[in-house]
Amino acid sequence: MASTTFFIILASLSLSLAAAAAAVTYPITKDTAKTRLYYTTLQVGTPPSSISLTLTLASQFTWFDCETKNNAYNSTSYNPVRCSTKACDDAGGAGCLGCTNGPPKPGCTNDTCALGAYNPFNDFIASAGMYTDILRVPSTAAKTVVSAFPFACAYGLNGLPKMSRGMLGLAMTKISFQAQVSSALKLPNIFALCLPSTGTGKLLVGGGPYSFSTGDLVETPIVINPNSTAAMYFVGEPSDEYFLGVKSIKVAGVAVALNSTLLTFDKDGYGGTKLSTIDPHTVLHSGIYKPIVNAFTAAARGMKMKRAANYGYFKVCYAASSVANDRHGRIVPIIDLVLQNVSTYWRMYGSDLMVRVSNDVLCLGIVESSEKNPRTAIVVGGRQMENRLVEFDLVVSKLRFSQPLIRRSTSCSH
Ligand SMILES: *[C@@H]1O[C@H](CO)[C@@H](O)[C@H](O)[C@H]1NC(C)=O
Ligand SMILES: *[C@@H]1O[C@H](CO)[C@@H](O)[C@H](O)[C@H]1NC(C)=O
Ligand SMILES: *[C@@H]1O[C@H](CO)[C@@H](O)[C@H](O)[C@H]1NC(C)=O
Ligand SMILES: *[C@@H]1O[C@H](CO)[C@@H](O)[C@H](O)[C@H]1NC(C)=O
Ligand SMILES: *[C@@H]1O[C@H](CO)[C@@H](O)[C@H](O)[C@H]1NC(C)=O
């Protein structure tokens, strides 16, 4: 009798342990030396190749350089996706590729669905063959393999971290990384980013609860831009990037007067606010940047912060010695992106806003768009997403985010 009870307790204990943490966790590294982009490593093919890829919320699919010369992706289990198939249409296939420099290998096959693989850093679209192959997933779920993971064999790695051989597509599509992993592993279509400032952060697929403490999450709907913001699209397609409904912006608690037309989409989908892991810092339309910076510098003067010379594209810098700090970071005027109501906002503290550019100088890590009429008015960049949990729930189309983890004396690399 006693041994039966013991057995039951053990069984339920292991069940609850299995359910306790996000099923899939990939470590994320930031290329702090150069590009300030974030990457992780997938295990693709047979034998498994380790392929490091730059995270992007903007790419509809994953693409990489399939050439074997450096870091071999020399798989025997790949399959080309054929032209004029449903899989090709569903992926947004645009044309058909062949290859005359046989023998066949990934990136050189006939009758292969062509996808447009976009590198934002040289603004180049490669016509890239679509393939599927085995993806091995670091998972505590019962299944750990995606048997037909879709990707494209592209080329042109300009601007990516040296380690990275392509881009991991996290947009809101059926062939995105998270959609494929969650569907194959029978997990909810939810993923979360905990981007590191240094060390190793996390890409989590399948939803919480999470193994680290995040505090309460703020929830806001994912807003759909009716016009695609992809590099290549069919007219009439909505965007599959992640937009937020920012209604107003406060600096030091006071709403800033700005042209609020920019916060909404015009008839061609210009305007609005999105999240981006490929912009190292938040980029604002000049019609928003100017009033925000005026409000920030005025409030900073009130705090006796002393201006220092510009640094690169940072135009608002301060002598570090004039900026107070506490255990949560620098104390500067806070900036709130106010969302669906006044009690729902994305609050940026000194730990999010200030970038140390030298021993003596800190700059506001928000920059003015170089374009006169940028596609998106507010692009929240990597630095402002770091060290907090940002969860993308594609089941109910909601975004949830934590306060900066430093306010709980931790970070994404703990
Ligand atoms: C690819 O793998 C095959 C079989 O394992 C091997 O014969 C071939 O040399 C490999 N090619 C490259 C470029 O590594
Ligand atoms: C593709 O088809 C052409 C024409 O039939 C053939 O010459 C070529 O070897 C094929 N390429 C591959 C990679 O199979
Ligand atoms: C507000 O911005 C829109 C979009 O750029 C522009 O068309 C409009 O003229 C601006 N309004 C004012 C009052 O500046
Ligand atoms: C934006 O979407 C609307 C509605 O689908 C369409 O009429 C318009 O042409 C689109 N604009 C662009 C630039 O694609
Ligand atoms: C604001 O929005 C949140 C999330 O949608 C909701 O829970 C809350 O009740 C709203 N607060 C007010 C004051 O409307």
Side-chain angles (χ1 to χ4, degrees), residues 259-262 266 285 372-373:
N259 182 349
S260 56
T261 309
L262 298 169
D266 75 4
H285 186 294
K372 194 154 182 279
N373 192 20

Side-chain angles (χ1 to χ4, degrees), residues 33-269:
K34 192 153 182 228
T35 61
R36 290 163 299 188
L37 298 172
Y38 309 90
Y39 59 90
T40 191
T41 303
L42 303 188
Q43 299 293 326
V44 186
T46 312
S49 295
S50 294
I51 299 177
S52 291
L53 299 169
T54 300
L55 268 50
T56 172
L57 297 169
S59 184
Q60 296 157 335
F61 54 87
T62 295
W63 62 262
F64 54 87
D65 178 2
C66 296
E67 281 299 313
T68 51
K69 51 181 186 273
N70 298 320
N71 185 355
Y73 167 60
N74 185 13
S75 177
T76 53
S77 52
Y78 76 96
N79 284 299
V81 173
R82 298 302 177 189
C83 305
S84 315
T85 55
K86 185 170 184 305
C88 181
D89 288 347
D90 285 353
C96 201
L97 289 176
C99 184
T100 51
N101 327 326
K105 59 176 185 184
C108 181
T109 49
N110 280 326
D111 186 24
T112 304
C113 178
L115 300 182
Y118 180 58
N119 180 340
F121 301 105
N122 57 1
D123 200 23
F124 180 73
I125 302 175
S127 182
M130 181 177 176
Y131 295 84
T132 64
D133 204 342
I134 295 169
L135 174 72
R136 276 158 235 277
V137 182
S139 170
T140 56
K143 255 193 95 188
T144 57
V145 169
V146 183
S147 52
F149 177 69
F151 62 91
C153 284
Y155 50 92
L157 304 180
N158 314 50
L160 298 181
K162 204 163 127 251
M163 282 293 294
S164 167
R165 300 182 64 200
M167 302 191 91
L168 186 78
L170 295 168
M172 233 181 317
T173 63
K174 285 191 189 135
I175 55 165
S176 67
F177 171 76
Q178 74 279 5
Q180 291 292 319
V181 169
S182 58
S183 141
L185 273 54
K186 303 205 164 23
L187 300 168
N189 189 3
I190 300 173
F191 74 103
L193 295 175
C194 201
L195 298 177
S197 47
T198 58
T200 305
K202 302 168 192 75
L203 164 63
L204 304 134
V205 183
Y210 299 105
S211 62
F212 51 103
S213 150
T214 60
D216 289 341
L217 302 182
V218 175
E219 183 176 276
T220 192
I222 294 171
V223 173
I224 304 296
N225 182 340
N227 289 85
S228 178
T229 47
M232 223 170 96
Y233 62 93
F234 297 106
V235 174
E237 272 177 352
S239 175
D240 36 42
E241 290 194 69
Y242 301 97
F243 285 85
L244 309 182
V246 172
K247 296 281 193 299
S248 65
I249 302 176
K250 289 183 178 174
V251 174
V254 180
V256 176
L258 48 82
N259 182 349
S260 56
T261 309
L262 298 169
L263 299 177
T264 59
F265 303 121
D266 75 4
K267 63 176 191 357
D268 290 322

Side-chain angles (χ1 to χ4, degrees), residues 251 289 292-311 314-324 330-333 335 350 353-366:
V251 174
Y289 178 83
I292 295 298
V293 157
N294 287 343
F296 184 89
T297 52
R301 262 197 306 281
M303 297 168 79
K304 306 266 187 293
M305 288 165 56
K306 298 241 172 342
R307 286 293 284 271
N310 298 349
Y311 183 91
F314 297 126
K315 305 291 184 234
V316 182
C317 299
Y318 293 92
S321 59
S322 71
V323 186
R330 294 289 171 166
I331 301 170
V332 303
I335 299 182
L353 294 171
M354 303 314 285
V355 176
R356 181 180 276 283
V357 298
S358 72
N359 268 345
D360 309 324
V361 177
L362 299 170
C363 296
L364 177 64
I366 292 186

Side-chain angles (χ1 to χ4, degrees), residues 274-411:
K274 73 173 184 183
L275 302 181
S276 169
T277 55
I278 55 174
D279 290 271
H281 303 97
T282 294
V283 184
L284 302 180
H285 186 294
S286 55
I288 297 177
Y289 178 83
K290 290 196 170 86
I292 295 298
V293 157
N294 287 343
F296 184 89
T297 52
R301 262 197 306 281
M303 297 168 79
K304 306 266 187 293
M305 288 165 56
K306 298 241 172 342
R307 286 293 284 271
N310 298 349
Y311 183 91
Y313 72 178
F314 297 126
K315 305 291 184 234
V316 182
C317 299
Y318 293 92
S321 59
S322 71
V323 186
N325 59 302
D326 65 12
R327 67 201 165 90
H328 300 318
R330 294 289 171 166
I331 301 170
V332 303
I334 56 176
I335 299 182
D336 290 332
L337 303 180
V338 182
L339 299 163
Q340 67 268 31
N341 62 42
V342 288
S343 42
T344 309
Y345 41 80
W346 183 301
R347 173 161 287 180
M348 297 176 183
Y349 297 88
S351 59
D352 306 302
L353 294 171
M354 303 314 285
V355 176
R356 181 180 276 283
V357 298
S358 72
N359 268 345
D360 309 324
V361 177
L362 299 170
C363 296
L364 177 64
I366 292 186
V367 301
E368 182 171 12
S369 176
S370 56
E371 290 167 70
K372 194 154 182 279
N373 192 20
R375 194 79 178 74
T376 302
I378 302 178
V379 179
V380 176
R383 181 65 176 73
Q384 278 73 41
M385 273 190 266
E386 280 173 6
N387 288 324
R388 52 172 105 206
L389 183 82
V390 183
E391 182 185 66
F392 302 79
D393 184 336
L394 304 177
V395 179
V396 296
S397 203
K398 301 266 197 223
L399 190 85
R400 301 185 192 96
F401 53 89
S402 73
Q403 296 298 312
L405 296 181
I406 193 170
R407 307 195 81 77
R408 308 180 71 77
S409 302
T410 181
S411 76

